[in-house]
Amino acid sequence: MKDLKFKRNFCITAHIDHGKSTLSDRLIQHAKIIEDRQMMNQILDNMDIERERGITIKSQAVTIPYHAKDGNDYELNFVDTPGHVDFSYEVSRAIASCEGALLLIDATQGVESQTVSNMYLAMEQNLTIVPVVNKIDLASADVEGVKKQIDRDLGLNPEDAQLVSAKTGQGIDDLLEAIVTMLPPPQGDVNAPLQALIFDCHYDEYRGVVVHIRVMEGTVRTGDVIRLMSTNTEYKVEKCGIFKINYEETGVLEAGDVGYLIAGIKTVRDVRVGDTVTLSSNPAAQPLDGFKDVKPVVFSSIYPIDSNDYEELKESMEKLQLNDASLVYEKDNSLALGNGFRCGFLGLLHLEIIQERLERDFDQVVIFTAPSVRYKVKPQGRDEFFVDNPADFPDGKIERSEEPYINASIITPSEYLGQIMELCRMKRGTQKNMQYLDEKRVELTYEMPLAEVLFDFYDKLKSYSRGYASFDYEVVDYRPTDLIKIDILINQKPVDALAQLCFRQNAVERAKQVCERLKGEIARQQFKIAIQGAIGAQVIARETVNPVRKDVLAKCYGGDVTRKRKLLEKQKAGKKRMLMAGNVELPQSAFLAVLKEKEDN
């Protein structure tokens, strides 16, 4: 294996859409580890859903060779990371396996909110940061302006900035030289007891669990017996190697290497991301620092459409959790939908992605309930507790309730400032700070309830600013709120899966929206269907689905009017009887319609 000084481990991190995956493509193409005919855009994004949306969801590691100008051959391990705020946990894990980071900045957009937060993530791990200005081939690129922002907003040396165009390949040679000269080699002793950090893993039908590791100290070889330090379970290594798009078996991984292990680990529960792998024969004294426990902020219940599919859904969730360590779930059940799971997500995009992955990768057809945040509730005469599921909301008098607040940072071109401030005001935001970063861009800092950001805040922010505003947030604390539960009733019967927790002043508007959307989804029956939104016994919104009716007067032409009346009365009585016995089937689209925000007119 190579000497440590000829290895470099780094990640590519940036705000969403600044060109990380395209830059990865160019580095892979430059190294010629894959034939040109197999090369395609976003080559590391191996999920269909990543390609379709043009975003990275999973971090992907790859090892490429590089022959430097000093005549030495280097081995570069790099990780392409997601840019979206919902996947920042994925980024933090990728960063932990590196010594350096390329911080990519779009030459047309400049420094944005995720650029700043990703830089802080890298700094916390003491990574060496090299700023890279991408998209310099575009006519609207402002390289000098971006260099000033690197100096002023990030506090990095603008002279170190590498200028590239990931699309055309311009500047890639200089960038590779900069990686070799500016980033430090990994530290570690190949003869020390093995300490390897599990930074990711995935399930393979034929091989079992494939564990992605970064070896910090020591050496691991095929045939070694390894121990996972959190569970003390032991396995024999069947294969180990590095990632070169596909797996390349090397039989040995040494300190400083990033690679994979296959050790016949059958069940998903045995592996934890952030755990330490050591050798059974010569174990390390203590485990490495893992990752902070992930804290979900959005909660939703998930049910199979057919209750017989519950076991399959359970298996799918386990495999998905192995691949996505930020997914948290527990068992749940509902009168309307049967057995399912209550899940925690890092944001709404995360929820959408999980839903699509369940449907595509595991062929599950599922229903999600309306997303909610976790509230603190203190009922009269009882202790305070957390509630994220409307079904657990206590009846009776509530002494006080609190909801999570976030500190939101929005960077926007100054011409859209008015609309964005109005949007934040409508979402109960309190402005804390506003500063002009330069003559064109403003940074706004707001404190607002997380629940207000859940539904359509991000979409509206993008449409008001024509896609130019960027948004980043962190949850700060809990603050008092006036919380109530909205029940949705169909023909006077509450549907527990449609209940929602809501701020009292928004309740009527929210209930109206849900009733309107349900009206559009529920098929007409032979009898009238009432859709109502209620707080306790008080109805605050109503929509009616009118019945279909047969034209019983078709055979009446002329004659006495009492004949017509008699037929209509007979029909009316029949519909009344039907209503007593009639049950309304809610289609899956009705649950989905409630989740989708109404299109702005």
Side-chain angles (χ1 to χ4, degrees), residues 149-210:
Q149 289 175 22
I150 290 171
D151 185 18
R152 189 182 56 236
D153 301 347
L154 303 177
L156 299 174
N157 184 357
E159 300 307 312
D160 290 345
Q162 303 299 309
L163 308 182
V164 301
S165 164
K167 188 172 159 191
T168 63
Q170 182 184 344
I172 295 295
D173 287 336
D174 294 341
L175 176 62
L176 284 162
E177 274 301 312
I179 289 167
V180 167
T181 53
M182 293 166 74
L183 297 183
Q187 304 295 312
D189 177 3
V190 293
N191 300 313
L194 175 68
Q195 276 185 314
L197 178 73
I198 300 178
F199 67 90
D200 203 357
C201 37
H202 71 271
Y203 188 80
D204 185 299
E205 283 184 20
Y206 305 108
R207 301 180 173 101
V209 178
V210 180

Side-chain angles (χ1 to χ4, degrees), residues 265-524:
I265 303 172
K266 298 283 186 298
T267 56
V268 171
R269 294 185 202 86
D270 294 343
V271 185
R272 271 188 46 233
V273 167
D275 195 3
T276 303
V277 178
T278 188
L279 290 181
S280 158
S281 55
N282 182 18
Q286 74 252 17
L288 298 159
D289 290 338
F291 303 106
K292 283 187 298 204
D293 270 351
V294 59
K295 288 195 171 55
V297 293
V298 178
F299 297 85
S300 173
S301 292
I302 165 179
Y303 300 96
I305 292 255
D306 181 348
S307 52
N308 296 332
D309 294 342
Y310 173 74
E311 285 301 321
E312 278 179 44
L313 177 64
K314 186 177 167 189
E315 270 180 44
S316 305
M317 294 293 284
E318 283 180 2
K319 287 176 186 171
L320 196 53
Q321 189 181 36
L322 175 75
N323 195 239
D324 182 350
S326 49
L327 172 66
V328 180
Y329 67 89
E330 59 188 28
K331 286 182 182 173
D332 189 25
N333 67 338
S334 143
L335 292 173
L337 298 169
N339 286 331
F341 296 97
R342 187 74 182 164
C343 306
F345 306 94
L346 297 184
L348 275 191
L349 178 68
H350 188 205
L351 184 152
E352 265 182 57
I353 298 298
I354 294 293
Q355 184 176 0
E356 284 200 34
R357 288 186 69 185
L358 279 172
E359 287 173 1
R360 289 177 183 212
D361 301 357
F362 301 102
D363 294 328
Q364 296 294 314
V365 189
V366 290
I367 292 175
F368 276 75
T369 59
S372 155
V373 297
R374 181 171 274 172
Y375 297 96
K376 271 186 195 170
V377 177
K378 168 82 173 74
Q380 201 164 27
R382 285 168 59 192
D383 290 340
E384 183 177 81
F385 64 97
F386 284 104
V387 171
D388 60 59
N389 193 341
D392 302 334
F393 193 72
D395 297 326
K397 193 166 169 53
I398 305 288
E399 269 182 34
R400 72 167 184 275
S401 50
E402 296 180 357
E403 64 180 330
Y405 264 67
I406 58 168
N407 201 351
S409 157
I410 301 165
I411 296 179
T412 172
S414 47
E415 66 249 44
Y416 308 118
L417 190 60
Q419 283 177 302
I420 287 173
M421 287 170 78
E422 177 60 20
L423 172 66
C424 293
R425 190 190 64 75
M426 281 164 52
K427 297 288 184 185
R428 298 191 279 143
T430 311
Q431 188 177 332
K432 289 293 168 193
N433 193 11
M434 175 172 113
Q435 67 180 62
Y436 277 81
L437 300 173
D438 51 39
E439 51 279 3
K440 289 183 186 164
R441 297 179 319 132
V442 190
E443 181 176 21
L444 294 167
T445 310
Y446 271 86
E447 282 182 349
M448 58 172 73
L450 177 63
E452 295 289 343
V453 176
L454 271 197
F455 279 91
D456 60 341
F457 179 79
Y458 195 69
D459 297 340
K460 282 189 173 164
L461 181 73
K462 285 293 181 195
S463 61
Y464 286 174
S465 67
R466 302 197 180 163
Y468 283 107
S470 65
F471 172 63
D472 188 29
Y473 68 87
E474 59 179 357
V475 179
V476 277
D477 55 8
Y478 276 79
R479 299 191 188 166
T481 185
D482 189 2
L483 186 67
I484 49 102
K485 175 183 172 185
I486 303 173
D487 284 311
I488 301 297
L489 297 91
I490 310 269
N491 273 357
Q492 276 83 49
K493 292 178 188 163
V495 181
D496 59 347
L498 292 176
Q500 297 186 18
L501 298 175
C502 175
F503 181 59
R504 188 180 292 273
Q505 286 177 358
N506 297 350
V508 174
E509 186 58 36
R510 178 72 60 82
K512 272 184 183 167
Q513 279 183 3
V514 173
C515 292
E516 274 172 25
R517 286 187 217 149
L518 286 174
K519 183 183 177 182
E521 295 295 332
I522 294 177
R524 289 169 70 186

Side-chain angles (χ1 to χ4, degrees), residues 40-54:
M40 55 184 166
N41 289 338
Q42 284 180 268
I43 187 142
L44 293 181
D45 293 346
N46 48 21
M47 286 191 275
D48 293 341
I49 182 170
E50 291 181 306
R51 293 178 180 287
E52 282 170 24
R53 288 173 175 249

